[in-house]
Amino acid sequence: MDLFFTYLQFTYEDLLTQAGEHALAVGVSLVLGTIVALTLGCLVYQREGSAKVAIGITGTILTVPSFALFGLLIPLLGLGWPPTIVALTLYAIFPILRNTVTGLRGVDTAIVDSAQGMGLSRRQRLFRIELPLAAPVIVAGIRVSALILIGIAAIAAGVGGPGLGEGFFSGLARIGSATALYLVLGALLAVMVLALLFDIGFLVLKRVVTSKGIRN
Amino acid sequence: MIRLENLTKTFKGQKDPAVEDLTMEIPEGEICVLVGPSGCGKTTTMRMINRLIEPDSGKIFLEDEDVTSVDSDQLRQRIGYVIQQIGLFPHMTIEDNIATVPRLLGWDKKKISDRTDELLEMVGMDPADYRPRYPKELSGGQRQRIGVARAMAADPSVMLMDEPFGAIDPITRSRLQNEFLRLQADIKKTIVFVTHDIEEAIKMGDRIAILRERSRIAQYDRPENILLAPADDFVANFVGSGASLKRLSLAKLSDIELIDWPTADLDTDPDQVREILQRSDRGWVLLLDDNRRPQRWVSSDDLEDDDEDLSRTGLRADSIAHPDTTLSAALADMLTSDKSSVIIVDESGAYEGVADLETITNATKAMRVEARADNGHDRDGLAETGTEESEESGGRLKKDDS
């Protein structure tokens, strides 16, 4: 154990850089995925058929093994950041889309009816009433996506992408050597800390977007 | 004023229209209650007025303006809308809820803020206390008040209310109804009020439209006429067996002719009281104090002893009522009083007259005669109602044959 901490002392700068990249890749993909999923969700939630198709397709993407998806993207986007961001964005969509549709559908019809009866337009109803009321559910979806992406992003190193995956891959490559285990453990520790930080971030975000009037 | 002309609506996937060729006019400043069994199309009718449901054919007029094809969002901003579930926006404060329509209309902040305070006071809620609160922090009755305040925010001349007091406990409901009627006496909006409860219709309506299936008008009249002279069996059934009793809750003691009972002062000599009794055929004298407040009922039996103290003999004059007491309340008092009558007094408590069971019976007879006369007159005036009815019975016959 002491040896592991000594090891960390020598390598923490690399770990921090990798963790930063990891967080950046997850963050950017999450933002892109949220934009896509929210837009898609707002377009389809009132139409049963379209919603099923959209949720079905994005759900299927989530079942594609990440190694395979990264591999498929290499011929199109090369190595490094581009395939990483695209793949992570694709994985992010499903949980957010599903929660967006669930959240928007969960808004009490009487509230929407009274809003319409008062003369709020379709757009005003969506932005002033439905989205704010669905916000806690949508944020919960983004949080799930974030946790999934933090895990999947580690695989990005396989296509020369950024992040903490580097530690896992190098560790696996030199199994048997003295530092192999430490490499993996260091990266794992960093991933866990990152996941914790994201989670805290989402707790704060959820509180910010949830009106006092609908908090429990 | 609201005028509906030949409105028809058939929902997708349904053979029969929900509303068929409905024509009616709701006069300025009145509450018109649409009442009927569930599924009769009353809510659909109401929702066509602010075009939450677009009619298939027919026209809607608001203050003589054809609004059948104007921008529906802008139309709705001109019409107050209250629903049973209230539909307050839970994520907004009471202030923001009330300010919704004024903000859509682009009022300036000061005006909105003043109006919010005014409305909160109007519904009896302290602005400083309630403005920053959220709907979940209010009771059901308070939410309903806010719902009404929000609907009136931009001072619409027309309001639509769909069972607004339906989900509230009976005691609070009755209080809210009374409050709303008092409010309406001041603001005089043109209101379309939907309910399935005939009692509520009678209480709230200046006019009641009793609807049968496909929103066809069975009778459109003042509540008292509907109670006393139902147009047909459908209306009579719907109004129910207690119609005459219900009618009594619409009339007040001040509306009927009271009995001028023989009276005497408390300090009158018993001999004089006997004389008064002999001259009248009533059998009892009502004794009044110096301020003409009723004190005791005295009959000749009570006066057998010469030295009788008049202030202690006979029956205590209980069952005192004011002129604005409803006949039904007065009747209830009579049934529990020793003399089967109520004594009517003015504000100061001074004697005005007496009403007994016979007074009430006579009054209801008179009302019935009046209602029948009115009804006949109305039917002559509304030829459309007549044709509609004959079509109705023709249709029924055909169905019976097949």
Side-chain angles (χ1 to χ4, degrees):
Chain A
M1 212 56 197
D2 284 347
L3 276 173
F4 177 56
F5 286 117
T6 320
Y7 167 81
L8 278 185
Q9 270 175 358
F10 282 99
T11 57
Y12 79 93
E13 279 186 27
D14 284 348
L15 263 183
L16 272 185
T17 314
Q18 285 170 358
E21 284 177 2
H22 203 97
L24 185 65
V26 169
V28 169
S29 311
L30 210 52
V31 169
L32 293 175
T34 303
I35 292 171
V36 174
L38 267 182
T39 313
L40 201 57
C42 291
L43 290 175
V44 302
Y45 79 102
Q46 285 180 317
R47 295 179 210 108
E48 187 62 40
S50 321
K52 267 196 183 134
V53 171
I55 289 173
I57 291 174
T58 53
T60 310
I61 294 175
L62 204 57
T63 65
V64 176
S66 42
F67 242 136
L69 187 57
F70 282 118
L72 284 172
L73 289 171
I74 294 175
L76 300 170
L77 301 163
L79 295 167
W81 282 84
T84 305
I85 298 295
V86 170
L88 292 183
T89 301
L90 286 173
Y91 284 126
I93 294 172
F94 173 73
I96 305 174
L97 174 67
R98 197 198 48 196
N99 277 35
T100 302
V101 171
T102 309
L104 289 173
R105 284 193 182 157
V107 176
D108 185 351
T109 50
I111 293 169
V112 182
D113 179 55
S114 76
Q116 193 182 2
M118 291 165 74
L120 273 79
S121 67
R122 179 76 206 90
R123 183 178 289 266
Q124 286 164 336
R125 289 198 301 275
L126 183 64
F127 285 102
R128 297 187 195 186
I129 311 295
E130 294 171 284
L131 281 174
L133 287 175
V137 182
I138 296 172
V139 170
I142 303 175
R143 177 170 164 246
V144 171
S145 283
L147 297 180
I148 293 173
L149 293 199
I150 289 172
I152 295 178
I155 312 297
V159 293
L164 292 160
E166 184 62 34
F168 299 123
F169 282 98
S170 326
L172 283 173
R174 11 183 147 155
I175 254 176
S177 81
T179 54
L181 182 63
Y182 295 159
L183 271 169
V184 174
L185 276 181
L188 186 62
L189 187 70
V191 165
M192 284 163 67
V193 171
L194 207 56
L196 192 70
L197 290 177
F198 264 89
D199 226 23
I200 293 170
F202 279 107
L203 278 182
V204 174
L205 181 64
K206 189 177 172 197
R207 204 169 162 79
V208 170
V209 300
T210 309
S211 152
K212 258 207 264 178
I214 52 173
R215 268 180 222 158
N216 293 325
Chain B
M1 193 217 40
I2 304 167
R3 197 163 79 246
L4 309 177
E5 279 182 8
N6 309 104
L7 282 189
T8 295
K9 175 71 188 182
T10 309
F11 287 110
K12 251 188 235 162
Q14 280 178 6
K15 207 168 84 258
D16 293 329
V19 175
E20 189 174 35
D21 199 28
L22 174 75
T23 297
M24 73 184 294
E25 187 173 313
I26 294 141
E28 191 85 47
E30 288 196 359
I31 300 182
C32 167
V33 181
L34 304 181
V35 65
S38 40
C40 70
K42 51 191 190 294
T43 296
T44 306
T45 303
M46 193 198 80
R47 288 167 71 89
M48 280 199 284
I49 297 173
N50 64 357
R51 298 198 9 243
L52 283 170
I53 295 172
E54 295 282 358
D56 296 334
S57 62
K59 282 188 188 306
I60 304 149
F61 293 88
L62 224 65
E63 332 279 347
D64 284 322
E65 178 197 345
D66 184 353
V67 295
T68 320
S69 48
V70 300
D71 179 276
S72 59
D73 288 328
Q74 280 172 18
L75 171 69
R76 288 174 203 140
Q77 288 165 20
R78 292 166 50 192
I79 300 177
Y81 185 56
V82 186
I83 55 176
Q84 180 180 351
Q85 309 88 329
I86 313 171
L88 292 185
F89 305 141
H91 60 303
M92 294 186 187
T93 59
I94 299 309
E95 173 176 15
D96 289 338
N97 266 286
I98 294 178
T100 305
V101 177
R103 280 185 192 145
L104 291 177
L105 294 171
W107 290 14
D108 68 59
K109 277 190 176 156
K110 176 85 176 65
K111 191 176 168 193
I112 294 177
S113 171
D114 291 348
R115 179 68 179 151
T116 307
D117 285 351
E118 185 187 340
L119 286 161
L120 280 171
E121 272 162 22
M122 198 161 77
V123 296
M125 291 168 75
D126 175 26
D129 187 4
Y130 286 99
R131 279 175 77 129
R133 293 214 204 176
Y134 285 94
K136 70 168 180 188
E137 298 169 285
L138 306 185
S139 69
Q142 288 173 327
R143 281 182 213 168
Q144 193 54 56
R145 287 193 183 94
I146 298 300
V148 171
R150 183 176 71 167
M152 293 195 299
D155 204 16
S157 60
V158 169
M159 303 227 318
L160 306 179
M161 307 180 86
D162 189 359
E163 307 215 13
F165 309 121
I168 292 170
D169 70 87
I171 294 168
T172 314
R173 182 191 309 148
S174 166
R175 202 167 61 218
L176 289 177
Q177 287 169 339
N178 294 337
E179 276 175 20
F180 187 75
L181 286 174
R182 266 201 299 279
L183 199 60
Q184 164 69 357
D186 285 339
I187 56 180
K188 298 222 182 333
K189 307 276 181 204
T190 306
I191 295 168
V192 178
F193 191 110
V194 165
T195 181
H196 63 269
D197 176 3
I198 185 71
E199 310 273 348
E200 184 173 46
I202 291 164
K203 181 168 183 183
M204 302 305 286
D206 293 308
R207 261 163 224 277
I208 298 176
I210 300 204
L211 303 176
R212 60 174 100 222
E213 76 286 5
R214 302 183 195 180
S215 207
R216 281 185 293 188
I217 298 177
Q219 189 169 4
Y220 183 32
D221 208 334
R222 304 236 168 241
E224 44 279 30
N225 292 351
I226 284 182
L227 287 175
L228 291 175
D232 56 19
D233 288 348
F234 177 82
V235 176
N237 275 331
F238 192 78
V239 169
S241 52
S244 304
L245 277 177
K246 285 169 195 153
R247 174 67 182 84
L248 291 181
S249 64
L250 287 173
K252 293 178 172 166
L253 285 170
S254 55
D255 300 334
I256 64 171
E257 203 166 322
L258 302 176
I259 305 166
D260 192 11
W261 206 275
T263 62
D265 284 343
L266 267 183
D267 49 15
T268 318
D269 184 75
D271 284 335
Q272 249 178 296
V273 177
R274 268 187 217 108
E275 208 174 296
I276 296 172
L277 273 169
Q278 263 164 15
R279 267 190 279 128
S280 131
D281 54 358
R282 294 282 180 191
W284 295 78
V285 167
L286 181 62
L287 298 181
L288 310 174
D289 70 4
D290 295 345
N291 296 315
R292 292 189 50 76
R293 284 191 291 243
Q295 295 298 321
R296 303 203 77 85
W297 289 107
V298 177
S299 73
S300 48
D301 293 346
D302 299 319
L303 295 169
E304 275 173 5
D305 299 330
D306 270 343
D307 56 345
E308 193 74 67
D309 178 1
L310 281 181
S311 65
R312 297 168 78 176
T313 187
L315 297 170
R316 213 161 60 83
D318 50 5
S319 313
I320 308 275
H322 288 277
D324 60 355
T325 307
T326 63
L327 292 192
S328 60
L331 185 61
D333 277 356
M334 281 173 208
L335 295 178
T336 53
S337 94
D338 292 332
K339 275 284 282 110
S340 299
S341 60
V342 291
I343 305 162
I344 293 92
V345 297
D346 66 12
E347 302 264 299
S348 68
Y351 168 80
E352 282 199 337
V354 171
D356 62 11
L357 293 170
E358 203 187 335
T359 329
I360 305 266
T361 327
N362 290 339
T364 49
K365 267 184 206 148
M367 285 181 224
R368 211 173 297 136
V369 171
E370 208 176 301
R372 292 225 173 96
D374 262 24
N375 224 18
H377 174 76
D378 272 1
R379 272 198 201 155
D380 293 342
L382 289 171
E384 273 167 279
T385 321
T387 39
E388 221 177 323
E389 267 178 12
S390 55
E391 275 167 19
E392 164 71 13
S393 49
R396 214 188 287 152
L397 274 178
K398 262 181 230 157
K399 262 181 215 158
D400 286 349
D401 286 345
S402 64

